[in-house]
């Protein structure tokens, strides 16, 4: 087992001692230091600490990557340094605290992806929670076990919860987006509620119905089960709301700022941004469906599956996953990016398992087992990527090989993802359609893990690395 007290002592010494530490926080895997003088810290010395997986510098913080035992290390370190312990912080604070760069095209693109991911990724528990009720319906209903009929109260309940999670997505996404941009989250939820207000939704079924805002004609669209329209609206709402808050006297701010924000936003939202977002959402969905139907569809899934751990390491996966989740929220299925990410997940577990079994050094063997457990059961891959893949380099070969095989099989057999579930319950992702969809999804996962395990067994470690000498 890791000696958390020793790790804490070694890390504290490597960053310059308690005199060089202004404050320290932790997230799920990292110690986040605010240092007096970062220039005196030698990164190589920090990386050399047994139990430290790497170093990162983000948001003005010096971050030491520890792994899932970071809460215990943090407790020991704060006691040694005489600092007050704080609760764990959100991983996403890197984005909000990062220094602002010049508005180059690349910076603008990064800002858009950061906003998209920061608004969509927090919705994953809602998407998964609702979709799992659909999975229960598939398991116990006519699709699989046929224990309850299609018109049973149980099936009705599952459909109700599933529909609630997705139908009201603009409200939930509006809250997340507003919070991401630093304004009242409930104002964003309010904007989402406006987009799916029942009397407006009812206009879609009325022949010859018209709608306008202050006399300005506005299209009648269905914004339920969409994300892009509300995200565009909240992005425009945030600066307006902040401006009004800054200019309005405090005595009337609570009453008039929300009101005037919505007065200004109504024509902007209903006549321009929401219809534009609807078009963008349809275009994204259409692109994914088109790509999946082309001769290159299977190749795209194969490549994404093979390279997904590399995308995670570079952070590129966040923006891509956010776009795919936005499309999934609208369609309820995925045959491209989320599918590739799911079928490859166990490939890195296969690498970790091989490394654990091959490793002879007791300390590294224990660490490798921990990496395997956190990835296989919880779907948390950062400790594995830093502790094995970056350290030994050659495990990438096995992961790419296994991911390619998993993605290729899933694409060629037409596997469809219905629920984006991570960790040990990933096979549930394929429940919802025909039984062979579940079978082929599980085969894809198994093939990926087996191939990556076999390749890693023979290539991942050198003899010196097995002995812990390298």
């Amino acid at each position: 087992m890791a000696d958390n007290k020793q790790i804490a002592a070694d890390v504290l010494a490597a960053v310059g001692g308690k005199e060089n530490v202004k404050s320290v926080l932790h997230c799920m895997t990292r110690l986040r230091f605010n240092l007096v003088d970062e220039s005196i810290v030698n990164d190589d010395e920090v990386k050399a600490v047994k139990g430290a997986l790497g170093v990162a510098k983000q948001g003005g913080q010096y971050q030491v990557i520890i792994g899932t035992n970071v809460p215990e290390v943090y407790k020991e370190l704060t006691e040694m340094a005489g600092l007050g312990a704080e609760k764990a912080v959100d991983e996403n604070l890197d984005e909000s605290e990062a220094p602002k760069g010049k508005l180059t095209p690349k910076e603008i693109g990064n800002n858009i992806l950061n906003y998209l991911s920061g608004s969509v990724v927090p919705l994953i528990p809602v998407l998964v929670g609702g979709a799992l009720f659909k999975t229960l319906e598939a398991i116990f209903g006519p699709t699989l076990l046929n224990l309850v009929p299609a018109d049973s109260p149980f099936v009705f309940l599952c459909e109700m919860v599933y529909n609630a999670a997705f139908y009201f997505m603009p409200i939930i996404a509006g809250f997340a987006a507003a919070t991401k941009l630093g304004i009242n989250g409930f104002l964003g939820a309010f904007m989402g509620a406006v987009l799916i207000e029942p009397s407006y939704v009812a206009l879609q079924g009325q022949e010859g119905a018209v709608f306008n805002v202050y006399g300005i004609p506005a299209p009648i669209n269905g914004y339920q089960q969409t994300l892009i329209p509300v995200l565009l609206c909240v992005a425009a709402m945030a600066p307006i709301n902040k401006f009004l808050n800054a200019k309005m006297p405090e005595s009337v701010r609570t009453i008039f700022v929300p009101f005037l924000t919505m007065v200004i936003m109504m024509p902007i939202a209903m006549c321009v941004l929401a219809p534009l977002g609807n078009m963008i959402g349809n275009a994204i969905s259409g692109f994914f469906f088109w790509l999946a139907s082309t001769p290159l569809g299977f190749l795209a899934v194969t490549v994404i599956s093979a390279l997904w751990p590399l995308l995670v390491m570079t952070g590129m996966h966040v923006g891509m996953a956010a776009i795919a989740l936005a499309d999934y929220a609208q369609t309820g299925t995925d045959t491209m990016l989320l599918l590739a990410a799911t079928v490859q997940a166990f490939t890195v577990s296969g690498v970790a398992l091989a490394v654990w079994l091959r490793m002879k050094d007791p300390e590294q063997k224990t660490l490798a087992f921990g990496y395997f457990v956190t990835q296989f059961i919880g779907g948390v891959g950062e400790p594995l990527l830093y502790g094995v893949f970056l350290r030994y380099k050659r495990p990438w070969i096995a992961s790419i090989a296994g991911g390619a095989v998993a993605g290729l099989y899933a694409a060629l057999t037409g596997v469809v993802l219905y629920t984006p579930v991570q960790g040990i319950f990933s096979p549930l992702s394929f429940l919802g359609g025909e039984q062979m969809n579940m079978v082929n999804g599980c085969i894809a996962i198994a093939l990926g893990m087996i191939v990556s395990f076999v390749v890693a067994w023979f290539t991942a470690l050198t003899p010196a690395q097995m002995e812990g000498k390298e």
Side-chain angles (χ1 to χ4, degrees):
M1 297 296 292
D3 187 341
N4 297 312
K5 189 170 185 177
Q6 187 61 51
I7 295 172
D10 292 344
V11 169
L12 184 60
V15 299
K18 63 181 181 181
E19 297 81 8
N20 197 39
V21 179
K22 291 181 184 177
S23 62
V24 60
L25 300 169
H26 78 92
C27 57
M28 188 169 65
T29 56
R30 307 181 183 198
L31 294 170
R32 297 167 174 262
F33 290 94
N34 290 307
L35 300 176
V36 176
D37 184 1
E38 189 176 307
S39 66
I40 69 172
V41 181
N42 186 317
D43 292 349
D44 291 333
E45 290 183 9
V46 179
K47 294 176 184 177
V49 171
K50 284 193 174 182
L53 305 179
V55 167
K57 299 173 185 179
Q58 294 174 307
Q61 295 178 330
Y62 190 90
Q63 302 177 8
V64 182
I65 302 161
I66 299 296
T68 53
N69 60 318
V70 71
E72 291 78 14
V73 175
Y74 177 75
K75 180 177 180 295
E76 298 287 353
L77 190 144
T78 52
E79 290 178 358
M80 293 177 189
L83 299 168
E86 302 286 345
K87 66 178 182 179
V89 297
D90 190 345
E91 299 274 2
N92 289 329
L93 59 74
D94 292 325
E95 298 170 6
S96 61
E97 294 185 357
K100 304 296 181 184
K102 294 181 179 180
L103 285 180
T104 61
K106 180 179 179 181
E107 185 68 21
I108 292 172
N110 286 337
N111 289 341
I112 292 173
L113 289 178
N114 286 340
Y115 170 57
L116 189 61
S117 62
S119 303
V120 175
V121 172
L123 307 183
I124 292 177
V126 176
L127 294 175
V128 173
L132 279 175
F133 272 84
K134 192 78 170 178
T135 302
L136 290 176
E137 177 189 337
I139 293 173
F140 296 106
T143 301
L144 191 62
L145 299 179
N146 200 23
L147 297 178
V148 293
D151 59 352
S152 69
F154 175 76
V155 170
F156 181 88
L157 175 66
C158 290
E159 288 283 347
M160 182 180 74
V161 177
Y162 172 81
N163 290 335
F166 288 87
Y167 184 93
F168 297 105
M169 189 59 61
I171 298 176
I172 308 168
F175 182 92
T179 303
K180 170 70 178 176
L181 295 177
I183 64 173
N184 190 317
F186 289 101
L187 198 59
F190 186 18
M191 174 57 70
V194 168
L195 295 180
I196 59 171
E197 193 277 327
S199 61
Y200 172 74
V201 173
L203 291 177
Q204 298 172 58
Q206 297 180 16
E207 185 176 351
V210 294
F211 177 71
N212 67 74
V213 181
Y214 312 148
I216 305 171
I220 301 172
N221 291 319
Y223 298 117
Q224 58 273 25
Q225 289 188 222
T226 65
L227 286 174
I228 305 298
V230 73
L231 296 183
L232 287 179
C233 293
V234 173
M237 174 194 289
I240 294 172
N241 182 258
K242 290 177 180 178
F243 175 81
L244 292 173
N245 265 313
K247 301 299 182 182
M248 192 75 64
E250 187 175 354
S251 58
V252 296
R253 190 179 297 161
T254 303
I255 298 173
F256 286 103
V257 168
F259 170 66
L260 291 177
T261 298
M262 296 304 290
V263 167
I264 297 170
M265 278 302 304
M266 281 302 92
I268 298 173
M270 303 306 295
C271 300
V272 181
L273 294 181
L276 176 62
N278 196 57
M279 293 173 58
I280 294 173
N282 289 336
I284 292 172
S285 179
F287 172 76
F288 277 115
F289 277 112
W290 170 80
L291 184 60
S293 66
T294 66
L296 295 177
F298 81 94
L299 184 61
V301 178
T302 302
V303 171
I304 294 170
S305 181
L307 300 182
W308 189 254
L310 283 170
L311 297 175
V312 172
M313 286 292 299
T314 60
M316 293 174 62
H317 73 297
V318 177
M320 294 173 65
I323 293 171
L325 282 167
D327 177 59
Y328 170 79
Q330 190 165 348
T331 62
T333 61
D334 182 88
T335 56
M336 187 66 60
L337 195 144
L338 297 180
L339 171 65
T342 300
V343 297
Q344 71 76 42
F346 285 173
T347 64
V348 288
S349 297
V351 175
L353 182 61
V355 169
W356 170 52
L357 293 175
R358 295 283 278 168
M359 187 68 70
K360 297 177 181 178
D361 177 71
E363 182 177 353
Q364 294 303 318
K365 193 177 185 72
T366 301
L367 288 173
F369 178 72
Y371 302 150
F372 167 72
V373 170
T374 55
Q375 169 64 41
F376 184 77
I377 295 182
V380 179
E382 190 179 47
L384 173 61
L385 292 177
Y386 280 101
V388 172
F389 282 71
L390 272 187
R391 179 170 185 172
Y392 301 121
K393 308 298 189 298
R394 292 165 65 175
W396 289 110
I397 301 171
S399 174
I400 291 172
V405 170
L408 180 62
Y409 182 87
L412 292 179
T413 55
V415 175
V416 177
L417 179 140
Y418 292 93
T419 310
V421 181
Q422 296 178 324
I424 197 170
F425 297 111
S426 293
L428 295 178
S429 300
F430 312 116
L431 275 175
E434 298 179 356
Q435 291 186 15
M436 282 307 298
N437 189 72
M438 175 71 169
V439 172
N440 285 324
C442 290
I443 291 174
I445 287 177
L447 284 174
M449 187 169 183
I450 291 170
V451 169
S452 64
F453 175 85
V454 172
V455 175
W457 183 271
F458 292 105
T459 68
L461 300 174
T462 66
Q465 288 169 342
M466 293 182 202
E467 300 290 344
K469 299 177 180 177
E470 197 179 298

